[in-house]
Structures are given as C-alpha cells and as structure tokens.
Amino acid sequence: MEFLTECNKCGKCKETCPGYQAFLKESFSPRGRLRLAKALQEKEILYDESLKKRFFSCLLCGSCETSCPLNINITSILYRARTESKKTLLQYLFKYFSLYPHIFFSILSILNRFDKFMSIINLPYFNRISSLEIKPQSNSLQVHSKVKPAGRIAIFLGCTSKYLIPSITEALIYILNWLNYEVIVPKQHCCGAPLLSAGFEKEAKNLAIKNLEVYKSFNIDGILTPCPTCAHFIGDVYKELIGEKLKVLKLADLFREKDREISGQYKGNAFFHISCHTSNYVKDSDDILSLLQKFGYNAQKKTGCCGFGGLFSFLFEKQSMDILRKKVLEYEKADMIISSCPNCIIQFKLAMKNKKIVHYAEAIEKILKGAKNGRAF
Ligand code: SF4
Ligand code: SF4
C-alpha cells in the first residue's frame, strides 16, 4: 500500500469536511486520516477497528480535494486504505447489492409491502426507502427513437434513479427526445462506487470493465446520467481504476446548442441543492442553475453535504442524521427543493416527507410538458 506523504498540514481541508464536522476530532479530518494512512504504511500502527472507523467515516464527498492547495487525491488514498480492511458482513452485503442490485431491490420491493416488519427491523436504509414505491425495473435495452435525430445519447441510470425514483429517468428521456436526440438505455451494471467505497477494488474494476464494454458497443455521442456520483465514477474514477473512462455529457451543454425558447414561471420559493459530487467533481451547477432560471425557477443556490454518503449512512446513522437535521433547518423556507442528485433526494425525503423534492430533470420536464400543452407553469 502506497500513500502520498506531501501533505503540508495546512488544515484547509478540515474547514469543509462533513466527516470532521460530525465527529470534531483531528483523526476524523482529511488531514488526520492522511496522517493515519501514512502511519499505517510505515507500520507505526496496526489496522484495528478504531483505525477502520476513521477511514470509513469519510463520506467520500471530495470537498477536501477541492480545498487542498496541493491537489492531494485524498479519496483515492482512502479507497486504498479501505481495500486493506478486514471485511464485515455489512461490507459483503454492500458487495452483493452492487453486483446484483435487481435481486436486492426485488427483495426490498416485497419487504416494503410489510410496513410493520420494516419498522421492527428498523435498519437505516429501509427507513430511507420506506416512503418510496420500489418498482422492479427491466434491465433490457430500451431505444427511444426520433425520425431525424440530432444524435444518439445513452443514459447511465445509477441504482437510485433506476430502482427507487424512475420518474427521473423518464424525465431525462423526455428532455433528450424533446432536444431531438435518440435515446438508448442499455442493459447496465452498477457503476461500482458502492463496491469501491466498501473496500472491494477488484470487484469495482470488474464492473467498470463490463460497463465499458456495454457502452462502447453502441455508436453514441456520449452518456448522460442523472447521478453525479455515477458521472464522477464512470467519467473520472474509471480512468484511475482501469485506465479508460466513459465520455460523460452535461445536460446544459445540449440545451446550449438549441435556440428553442421556452417560458415558464415557478412562483414558489425554490432552492437548488447542489450535491457534493456535483460541486467537487462534475462542476456543472452554475450551468444547471442558469438552465433552471431560463425555465422559470428563480432558485436559490445551496451547497453542503446532505449526510447520505452511501455506506456512511449505514455505518454512522446518528452522524448522518445530525448532518441531515442541519439541512432540514436550512431548507425550512423552501416550497420546492430541486436537487442535482437522486441520492440526496432519498436522504431529504427521510426528514422532509411533505416537501416537494425533485431532480432538476423532473423540474425541466414539467416546464416542457406545460409548454407543449400551451400552459405556463
Ligand atoms: S471526502 Fe469529504 S468526508 Fe472524506 S475526508 Fe474529504 S471532505 Fe472529509
Ligand atoms: S489541505 Fe491538503 S495539504 Fe493542507 S492539510 Fe489538507 S491534505 Fe494536507
């Protein structure tokens, strides 16, 4: 195991780290975790449970990398440190969830019919999804054609938008068809982010290779995904894992090529929640915000972690909920939350059951459908 050691200990990474803010201990900060990884590499310390807790309490949000003046790839170091861990039952559960998500979500869709049973077992993830309607989705190829298309775009769904909020996918297909693109939704696998976060690097690489094979077999202009975690993973992390990545497009760029005017006006108080992976990796939030404004959403820009963090919310439910509670207070005055990430939506729905929370693709689709029917929104 090799770790970078050139950290100058300036502490800039601590200021924005949600993991540090949840635990308020140096060893739970990015700088502290790097120091521990180095100590482990130099065999000063052993890989015990306490150390594992420090490595796994990172939400992999990337804020530290954005603020680090030396551009240290902190999450890569933490991924590597996690790979070395002794695996637990929960980690193996994560592994099988990522390898066979359709089986996992089919079981959940059955369990979800038994509310009382779900409330007795009281597992964090079950709580998160109990308010959603889980529909087993087809994993076969879908093609949404146009007569003279401007191009062909493939969608990478991501497990949340595929199994838990399929309305996001439907919105994305509608928008792309409206923009005159032929849309294909290939048979696909999980991007592999949950696998790598749980310490299964070899298995994450295998999924990356499979997804690469699937998408490269189509003649496409690029890939669009509603999930910024998937976008970062297939567009950046794949390059580190297998030396090759997929071409990820940005929705705002596709609209830029169009000069069709659409008007709409949302009169309520809308907040645009920008997820950590949108802020720190995909970096298209200003373009999405401009797009939302063009479509009549005078949305306020909001950043900051929702507390989900995938595996983090399973392992550190209390801290995950503490982070979420701060967001609930911050978003109290919003009539609608427009999120850049499906996973943040799942997290928000846990604590803001009566609030309107949508993905930006759904918000845009609503305006387009209103315009088609001759109505202002
Ligand atoms: S990725 Fe996020 S949670 Fe993890 S160390 Fe960096 S800032 Fe903290
Ligand atoms: S910001 Fe970068 S250089 Fe500064 S303490 Fe954090 S990891 Fe080290």
Side-chain angles (χ1 to χ4, degrees), residues 202-360:
K202 189 170 89 295
E203 291 82 352
K205 277 183 184 172
N206 289 341
L207 276 191
I209 291 166
K210 281 185 187 167
N211 276 323
L212 214 74
E213 274 170 11
V214 168
Y215 282 86
K216 279 173 71 178
S217 68
F218 292 101
N219 182 17
I220 51 173
D221 299 306
I223 297 167
L224 206 63
T225 172
C227 175
T229 303
C230 297
H232 166 52
F233 217 74
I234 65 175
D236 304 321
V237 183
Y238 275 16
K239 181 88 182 150
E240 288 172 40
L241 281 180
I242 55 168
E244 211 178 334
K245 61 180 189 173
L246 290 165
K247 182 182 174 190
V248 180
L249 304 171
K250 292 176 179 170
L251 187 63
D253 292 339
L254 302 178
F255 270 97
R256 214 166 279 133
E257 291 160 14
K258 282 271 160 192
D259 53 6
R260 285 171 68 176
E261 281 301 319
I262 288 292
S263 60
Q265 195 180 9
Y266 177 71
K267 295 200 173 71
N269 195 15
F271 284 12
F272 176 41
H273 168 78
I274 303 166
S275 84
C276 297
H277 288 169
T278 304
S279 287
N280 299 313
Y281 297 119
V282 183
K283 299 184 196 269
D284 62 349
S285 59
D286 285 345
D287 291 338
I288 297 171
L289 186 61
S290 304
L291 204 56
L292 288 170
Q293 284 164 347
K294 195 174 156 196
F295 280 86
Y297 296 97
N298 192 18
Q300 291 180 48
K301 187 174 166 176
K302 297 281 177 187
T303 53
C305 184
C306 70
F308 180 59
L311 186 57
F312 178 86
S313 61
F314 285 74
L315 295 174
F316 303 99
E317 193 192 5
K318 181 194 170 300
Q319 288 77 11
S320 170
M321 294 304 290
D322 287 347
I323 299 170
L324 174 60
R325 267 189 284 276
K326 285 185 197 152
K327 277 286 169 205
V328 173
L329 286 176
E330 190 186 342
Y331 291 178
E332 206 174 25
K333 293 213 162 61
D335 298 314
M336 182 196 295
I337 299 169
I338 304 173
S339 171
S340 71
C341 174
N343 295 315
C344 302
I345 296 177
I346 304 287
Q347 176 82 337
F348 288 149
K349 280 185 185 270
L350 189 61
M352 296 183 270
K353 289 194 172 26
N354 298 322
K355 217 175 265 299
K356 191 163 183 52
I357 308 169
V358 296
H359 188 271
Y360 64 82

Side-chain angles (χ1 to χ4, degrees), residues 17-19 30 33 58-64 75:
C17 172
R33 292 187 181 103
C58 159
L59 292 100
L60 301 165
C61 68
S63 300
C64 50
T75 51

